[in-house]
Each structure stands twice: as structure tokens, then as C-alpha cells.
């Protein structure tokens, strides 16, 4: 059974509600869960159309999900398709706050793109399913697929607690930066070799 957009955006919101990035973007604790689901839902829909989705179900419920894209895959929707992530963010937090967030993202570390790399956009496990190895299982699956394609896998995290997990699965930190003057730190990781 495939995972639906509604299932995925709900799982992502519940898993990321306390993530440093989302607490920075959506500062209102009461609205963060709904705002996160709506904002990330735009990316979820695009991944379901053109990206790669790996998931695990337990007792029929979506328990873990990984959304990633192969090199050269463009996630931007067709011109005129609404909502856009930027437009939705502005509608939720206002124009000034959205501009501050965009400026923070502009400070994110960049790595040379002369080597083809896949990108893991989201890896999340439902809060009640965490600690059972589901995230590691999905990450290993994505790493194996990218290695079979002969490309690196890259990802970003703003949660320092995730770094040991990613290192244990063969990723190394390549860059670190702060997302603007008020944003969280962000780490860019990638697999050590494409093999």
C-alpha cells in the first residue's frame, strides 16, 4: 500500500514539531503542528509526483517515511501551480517573517555540485514508533539505492541530536553554518563515497 500525501505530511509534522528548524520558522507553539503540516505538504505532493518515497507501515499505519530525489530531479511545480512553499509560508507567518526566513536559508552551506548527488529531503519516524530502527532501515535503503546508482547521498539537518545517527549510517559532515543571525545551525552531510 502506497503512502498518501495526507499520511506523510501528518507524520512529518508530528515528527518535526520540536525540530530546531520548525521551531524557528513557526514560533507559535499552538499553531506549529498545523503550520508544519501545511508547509511541508507542498514538498510532499511534489515528491509523490516526481521524487522517490520509501516508507514503512506497522499495523496498517504509516510509521516511517523517507522522501528523496535523484540527481537532476526538479521538485518545483509547474508555473502557476498553487500553493508554492514560499507563498504558503508568507501566508502563515507574514511577509516580513517569511523574508527573514528566506534570508536565513540563503546562508545555508553550499557544496560543489560537480559530483552527482541524490538528496534526502525528509526522513521521519512517527513519535510512537521511534527507537525501533525504522529510520535506520529506511536510510540504509536510500543509501543502498544511491550507491547502486553510483551517486552520493546528501542531506541537511538542523538537529544536532541527529548527527550520531547519520554518522552511524555512513554519512559525514561536509559543511556547517547558521541560518542567518537568528536561525538554527545547519549541517550538510553526505555519504563518504558513492562506490
Amino acid at each position: 500500500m502506497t503512502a498518501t500525501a495526507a499520511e506523510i505530511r501528518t507524520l512529518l509534522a508530528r515528527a518535526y514539531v520540536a525540530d530546531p528548524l520548525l521551531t524557528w520558522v513557526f514560533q507559535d507553539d499552538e499553531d506549529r503542528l498545523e503550520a508544519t503540516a501545511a508547509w511541508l505538504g507542498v514538498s510532499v505532493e511534489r515528491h509523490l509526483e516526481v521524487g522517490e518515497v520509501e516508507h514503512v507501515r506497522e499495523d496498517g499505519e504509516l510509521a516511517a517515511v523517507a522522501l528523496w530525489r535523484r540527481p537532476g530531479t526538479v521538485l518545483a511545480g509547474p508555473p502557476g501551480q498553487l500553493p508554492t512553499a514560499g507563498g504558503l509560508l508568507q501566508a502563515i507567518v507574514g511577509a516580513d517573517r517569511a523574508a527573514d526566513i528566506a534570508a536565513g536559508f540563503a546562508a545555508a552551506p553550499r557544496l560543489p555540485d560537480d559530483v552527482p548527488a541524490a538528496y534526502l529531503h525528509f526522513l521521519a519516524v512517527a513519535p510512537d514508533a521511534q527507537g525501533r530502527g525504522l529510520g535506520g532501515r529506511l536510510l540504509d535503503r536510500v543509501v543502498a539505492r544511491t550507491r547502486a546508482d553510483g551517486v552520493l547521498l546528501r542531506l541537511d539537518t538542523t538537529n544536532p541530536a541527529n548527527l550520531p545517527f547519520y554518522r552511524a549510517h555512513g554519512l559525514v559532515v561536509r559543511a556547517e553554518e547558521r541560518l542567518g543571525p537568528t536561525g538554527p545551525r545547519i549541517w550538510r552531510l553526505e555519504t563518504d563515497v558513492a562506490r
Side-chain angles (χ1 to χ4, degrees):
M1 176 181 199
T2 60
T4 67
E7 287 178 306
I8 296 170
R9 73 174 172 253
T10 299
L11 186 149
L12 292 177
R14 289 184 175 146
Y16 293 159
V17 72
D19 185 89
L21 177 65
L22 279 304
T23 60
W24 172 63
V25 170
F26 302 117
Q27 297 175 336
D28 184 347
D29 293 342
E30 286 186 35
D31 296 331
R32 186 176 306 118
L33 187 65
E34 293 283 344
T36 298
W39 190 47
L40 298 183
V42 175
S43 292
V44 168
E45 290 174 6
R46 290 302 296 155
H47 271 92
L48 287 172
E49 290 175 18
V50 299
E52 306 291 331
V53 179
E54 311 283 338
H55 69 282
V56 174
R57 289 188 178 277
E58 288 189 336
D59 299 323
E61 297 294 320
L62 187 64
V65 67
L67 286 83
W68 61 285
R69 66 180 186 260
R70 296 179 189 279
T73 303
V74 177
L75 289 181
Q81 183 176 356
L82 297 174
T84 63
L88 187 56
L89 181 63
Q90 185 171 326
I92 295 170
V93 302
D96 291 342
R97 180 80 183 113
D100 289 344
I101 293 165
F105 278 119
R110 303 283 182 242
L111 293 177
D113 56 5
D114 56 340
V115 175
Y119 184 76
L120 178 62
H121 200 117
F122 301 112
L123 176 64
V125 178
D128 61 345
Q130 292 177 0
R132 298 200 303 259
L134 300 178
R137 201 163 92 201
L138 283 179
L139 181 56
D140 289 345
R141 194 183 306 172
V142 174
V143 168
R145 290 182 186 207
T146 58
R147 284 193 171 146
D149 289 346
V151 298
L152 299 172
L153 176 66
R154 289 185 174 154
L155 63 90
D156 297 308
T157 186
T158 55
N159 190 339
N162 292 341
L163 294 174
F165 167 79
Y166 288 125
R167 286 181 180 125
H169 290 273
L171 287 103
V172 294
V173 174
R174 295 290 190 212
E176 176 184 350
E177 190 59 66
R178 180 167 299 284
L179 293 179
T182 64
R185 296 204 75 69
I186 186 168
W187 292 268
R188 170 139 298 177
L189 297 96
E190 67 183 13
T191 47
D192 201 17
V193 290
R195 285 188 265 190

